[in-house]
Amino acid sequence: MSTRTLYLFSSAAPPVFDVAKVVEAAQADGWDVCLGLTPTAARWVSESLDGLAALTGHPVRWEYKLPGQPDAWPKADAILFAPATFNTINAWALGLTHNFVVGVVAEAIGKGIPIVTMPCVNAAYVQHPQFEQSVATLRGAGVSVLYGEGGFVPNQPGRGNPAAYPWQAALDEVNSLVPLP
């Protein structure tokens, strides 16, 4: 039986198509997984949403609930946000909670919930000065950002290999932050 709850959040980047395998790997590590997506990521995997909900045992979410509605998920023990796009990293660091998953992680910083994120951005995007500032802001807020050596290393535009995305490094980091009881 799972004793820890992991919110697994993903943005619209090619590694999102492997999210079912990541859910299964996290479940094998003893996590009860709740899957949240950016609206674009939800559109990308729309044909798999029912299967992903069945796999996790929870509704897949990409929208805020209405005021007064009960929460459909248990409380998170940790959050893994991967892949996190250029837009997501910058919006989160700037506190722009225009979508459900960014709103949850922004609030989670204040709640003290352990958070791991791993970007998925190309080398052209990371040249924008805001990106490094955003990574520094999130790290300064206590978020474990797996970017650079030991995490995600940007590729040249159009030359990414989604199969090489280091999902296991992200899962290992979450497991180190919230070990099994």
Side-chain angles (χ1 to χ4, degrees), residues 54-133:
L55 179 62
T56 65
H58 302 284
V60 178
R61 294 189 56 197
W62 60 90
E63 295 179 320
Y64 284 106
K65 66 182 181 68
L66 296 174
Q69 284 183 326
D71 201 333
W73 291 352
K75 292 191 183 305
D77 294 300
I79 300 173
L80 170 57
F81 203 140
T85 61
F86 176 80
N87 184 59
T88 294
I89 293 290
N90 289 325
W92 179 9
L94 293 169
L96 304 175
T97 59
H98 60 286
N99 67 50
F100 166 69
V101 290
V102 175
V104 171
V105 290
E107 185 177 36
I109 290 171
K111 290 180 173 181
I113 298 170
I115 308 167
V116 174
T117 190
M118 190 161 52
C120 185
V121 295
N122 69 42
Y125 276 126
V126 301
Q127 297 306 309
H128 191 286
Q130 185 58 51
F131 186 76
E132 288 295 335
Q133 292 175 13

Side-chain angles (χ1 to χ4, degrees), residues 159-174:
R159 294 194 183 146
N161 178 4
Y165 189 71
W167 282 110
Q168 191 59 52
L171 290 171
D172 290 346
E173 181 70 6
V174 169

